[in-house]
């Protein structure tokens, strides 16, 4: 294992990941929409709707971990969650999320912080979401446990993440796109080839959906559901904290 490779398989150190995300902020949203062929809008809406299923009253609070430029947090606010906080450790991402919030009159609170050690008390949130962020954490199991910690009994932990693509035939064109074409599009649009090479490399090391589901159960979550999206390239995991 190289010095920049974490235990869980993500391939860069915390500082490297932080700098990489700071560097791609200006074209980050556009690149998301292009590389997913616009499917990311729907995926974020699905996440937001599931987060809203935990609502009980006006003090309901949802945390979007590794929020990036804020699109999941905005989607969660739009479905009627009263209090939403987005947390990310890239100051560039947080600044962009705050700029977007101001522009659209959103009341989402965006803060800089580490998803592995969040500044929230146990059980304060109705749900904790993470979208395309889990893969970047240095320890996936500890990341899931930290999300479960801040969620109240009956609340949900929801993770949307790219997953290794195993389809016996389609994996050939998909992997060609993902490993060869995507980094080039990333370079053309953002000037950062490495960031969009990191994406498929980190997906390759990421647990299969059934393994991540077990990680959810090991964190004490129950009724763990897995929904495959994006023709099997993306997995949505939902777990409920026992009452
Ligand atoms: C691929 S982006 C996803 C952003 C957003 N959730 C989305 O769906 O577009 C990954 C984000 O995870 C953040 N991140 C990575 N490790 C983190 C950590 N330990 N704590 C907080 N944020 C982290 C990065 O700064 C980056 O903004």
């Amino acid at each position: 294992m190289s010095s920049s490779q974490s235990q869980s398989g993500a391939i860069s150190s915390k500082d490297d990941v932080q700098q990489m995300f700071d560097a791609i902020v200006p074209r980050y949203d556009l690149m998301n929409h292009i590389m997913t062929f616009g499917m990311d809008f729907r995926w974020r809406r699905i996440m937001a709707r599931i987060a809203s299923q935990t609502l009980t009253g006006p003090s309901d609070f949802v945390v979007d971990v590794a929020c990036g430029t804020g699109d999941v947090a905005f989607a969660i606010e739009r479905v009627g969650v009263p209090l939403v906080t987005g947390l990310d450790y890239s100051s560039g991402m947080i600044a962009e999320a705050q700029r977007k919030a101001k522009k659209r009159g959103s009341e989402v609170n965006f803060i800089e912080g580490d998803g592995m050690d969040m500044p929230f008390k146990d059980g304060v949130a109705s749900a904790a979401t993470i979208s395309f962020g889990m893969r970047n954490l240095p320890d996936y199991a500890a990341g899931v446990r930290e999300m479960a910690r801040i969620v109240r009994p009956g609340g949900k932990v929801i993770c949307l993440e790219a997953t290794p693509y195993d389809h016996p035939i389609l994996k050939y064109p998909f992997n060609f796109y993902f490993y060869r074409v995507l980094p080039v599009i990333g370079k053309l649009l953002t000037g950062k080839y490495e960031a969009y090479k990191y994406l498929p490399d980190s997906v390759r090391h990421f647990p299969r959906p059934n393994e991540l589901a077990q990680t959810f159960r090991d964190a004490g979550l129950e009724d763990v559901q897995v929904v495959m999206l994006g023709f099997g390239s993306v997995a949505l995991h939902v777990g409920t904290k026992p009452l």
Side-chain angles (χ1 to χ4, degrees), residues 14 17-18 21 28 32 44 64-70 72 87-90 93 113-116 130-133 135-138:
K14 179 174 171 176
V17 174
Q18 210 164 9
F21 283 109
Y28 177 78
N32 270 352
R44 290 170 213 278
D64 184 41
V65 184
C67 64
T69 59
V72 168
L87 172 143
D88 197 290
Y89 73 11
S90 153
M93 288 284 182
D114 188 348
M116 301 299 295
I130 185 164
S131 144
F132 303 109
R135 203 170 16 90
N136 305 297
L137 300 183

Side-chain angles (χ1 to χ4, degrees), residues 92-141:
M93 288 284 182
I94 288 294
E96 176 63 6
Q98 288 168 336
R99 188 194 66 75
K100 285 164 68 176
K102 198 168 171 197
K103 193 171 163 201
R104 59 179 74 190
S106 160
E107 292 187 0
V108 175
N109 180 33
F110 289 104
I111 59 169
E112 261 184 72
D114 188 348
M116 301 299 295
D117 182 17
M118 292 191 270
F120 304 116
K121 293 195 176 129
D122 295 0
V124 289
S126 309
T129 57
I130 185 164
S131 144
F132 303 109
M134 182 62 73
R135 203 170 16 90
N136 305 297
L137 300 183
D139 182 334
Y140 311 135

Side-chain angles (χ1 to χ4, degrees), residues 68-82:
T69 59
D71 283 352
V72 168
F74 295 133
I76 293 171
E77 181 183 51
R78 269 198 304 274
V79 293
V81 175

Side-chain angles (χ1 to χ4, degrees), residues 54-62 80-84 123-127 152:
T54 61
L55 293 189
T56 54
S59 60
D60 276 307
F61 169 54
V62 172
V81 175
L83 301 166
V84 185
V124 289
S126 309
R152 65 165 167 74

